[in-house]
Structure formats: C-alpha cells, structure tokens
C-alpha cells in the first residue's frame, strides 16, 4: 500500500520500474513493474524482509533465523548505534518512538559528517540490506530502488554505501539507481485511499 503512495505522490511518479523498501520495526517492500504494482499469487510479492540471509543469525518473528529484517530493522540499527557510537549495551525498555527516531537521525548525521564509528554502523546496514536487495535486483531488474526510514535529513548517506554493496553482489553490467526518502507515517492511509480511488473511480493504470 505504501508503495502505491510512493508511486503516485512522491519521487517515483515518473518511474515505471522500481522497488520500494521501508525500514521500520520490520522491513517492508513493494515492486512496480511496467507501471503496475506487482501483487503476486497471494499478494506477497516483494516480501524482502523475510528472505533468510544468515542461517546462524537472530531468530525472526516469522520463526526462522537470520531474515533480512533481523539485521536491518530500526531497533537493531539503534542498538548498534548505542553500542558502536555511544558505548552503551542493549536498548532501553519502553523506548518512545520520538527518542528512537531522534537517535537514528543522530546516527545518520554523524555518519554523514565524519564520525567513523557511525559510518561503520551505516555501512554494516548497507551490507546487510544489500544481501536481500541484490538478488531481487537480479530477478526483476528495476531501474531504481527507493529506501525509506525515520533516518532524518541525512539519511541519504546510506545511498552510496548501499549502491556500493549491491554492486559487489550483482553482475557488473546491471544498472540501478538508489534514492532515500524519509518515511511518511500517513503514507499507508493515503496509499490505501489511492488504491480505492484508482480501482473504483478512475481505473488509473498502475495496479
């Protein structure tokens, strides 16, 4: 649903083939191919977050070990920030979203403006994320990948690091651009409204 919002209201309006990846409590994704939303047989197309990439990794909420989202969700990133940059262990209980988002924004700003430990955490995120994104790129060959999260105005520091990690994992002639957009909490509601609008009122191409 959020991918529809991204397609019709944001930077992807002119792009017919793209993958959208949101990093939040889990990792959500959606795919547009030839201007149409790819749903799949059970509506599960683009389920990037539950691709297993580390058989010895953390147990995922789906019950398997080492899914992409176990290594890239916002709480995991925040814990790595506390450990590697602030020198704290673990994540405090009952952390309010405002504090979590502020911490993530600080991490990405520090990474962008020269903090080596912060940049290492973001590079680790890029590497883990690329392990799920690269195979998808090889399969569907999108022209663009859009990554979103509550990473603040400097979240775009992730873009070149992710592009570099993906290039390591795909064929040399595969061409794909990368973008970062801040996550909009109203996107799911607006995306659902757009789906209804397109299906029942305008029959807008792009489902």
């Amino acid at each position: 649903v959020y991918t529809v919002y991204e397609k019709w209201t944001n930077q992807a309006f002119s792009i017919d083939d793209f993958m959208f990846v949101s990093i939040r409590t889990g990792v959500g994704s959606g795919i547009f191919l030839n201007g149409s939303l790819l749903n799949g047989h059970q509506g599960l197309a683009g389920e990037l977050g539950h691709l297993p990439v580390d058989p010895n990794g953390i147990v995922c909420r789906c019950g398997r070990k080492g899914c992409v989202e176990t290594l890239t969700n916002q709480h995991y990133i925040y814990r790595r920030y506390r450990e590697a940059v602030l020198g704290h262990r673990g994540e405090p209980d009952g952390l309010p979203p405002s504090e979590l988002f502020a911490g993530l924004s600080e991490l990405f700003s520090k990474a962008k403006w020269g903090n080596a430990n912060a940049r290492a955490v973001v590079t680790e995120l890029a590497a883990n994320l690329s392990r799920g994104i690269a195979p998808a790129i090889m399969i569907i060959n999108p022209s663009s990948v859009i990554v979103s999260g509550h990473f603040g105005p400097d979240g775009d520091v992730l873009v070149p690091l992710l592009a570099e990690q993906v290039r390591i994992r795909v064929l040399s002639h595969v061409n794909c651009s990368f973008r970062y957009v801040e996550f909009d909490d109203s996107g799911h509601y607006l995306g659902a409204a757009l789906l209804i609008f397109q299906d029942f009122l305008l029959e807008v191409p792009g489902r």
Side-chain angles (χ1 to χ4, degrees), residues 74-202:
Q74 62 189 11
H75 291 280
Y76 179 85
I77 301 167
Y78 184 75
R79 285 196 299 273
R80 292 292 297 122
Y81 170 54
R82 283 172 55 84
E83 293 168 358
V85 182
L86 303 181
H88 303 311
R89 302 296 296 178
E91 182 181 339
D93 294 331
L95 185 70
S98 59
E99 187 175 336
L100 171 65
F101 300 157
L104 292 172
S105 183
E106 288 173 4
L107 165 65
F108 283 82
S109 290
K110 289 178 184 291
K112 187 170 186 176
W113 302 111
N115 184 296
N117 289 336
R119 190 172 182 85
V121 172
V122 177
T123 300
E124 176 189 317
L125 167 62
N128 289 334
L129 194 59
S130 73
R131 292 159 72 185
I133 288 178
I137 289 175
M138 291 296 296
I139 292 170
I140 65 173
N141 192 211
S143 63
S144 182
V145 173
I146 301 171
V147 179
S148 183
H150 290 289
F151 302 152
D154 293 322
D156 59 354
V157 69
L158 175 63
V159 170
L161 299 174
L162 179 59
E164 180 180 359
Q165 290 294 325
V166 168
R167 277 196 295 269
I168 295 171
R169 293 172 168 84
V170 299
L171 294 174
S172 59
H173 61 274
V174 172
N175 184 24
C176 184
S177 66
F178 295 83
R179 304 184 188 187
Y180 164 77
V181 295
E182 288 195 62
F183 191 85
D184 182 348
D185 288 321
S186 65
H188 284 108
Y189 306 108
L190 295 173
L194 284 166
L195 273 177
I196 295 171
F197 191 61
Q198 101 177 6
D199 285 350
F200 298 106
L201 297 179
L202 292 181

Side-chain angles (χ1 to χ4, degrees), residues 17-79:
D17 302 280
F18 73 95
M19 176 189 299
F20 176 79
V21 181
S22 66
I23 301 173
R24 300 172 67 222
T25 302
V27 174
S29 55
I31 298 167
F32 263 81
L33 286 179
N34 300 319
S36 298
L37 181 65
L38 182 64
N39 289 310
H41 172 57
Q42 296 175 286
L44 297 175
E47 191 58 75
L48 178 71
H50 292 291
L51 286 176
V53 294
D54 183 1
N56 299 313
I58 302 168
V59 176
C60 180
R61 57 182 173 150
C62 73
R64 295 182 298 176
K65 287 186 177 180
C67 290
V68 169
E69 74 171 38
T70 65
L71 300 169
T72 59
N73 72 78
Q74 62 189 11
H75 291 280
Y76 179 85
I77 301 167
Y78 184 75
R79 285 196 299 273

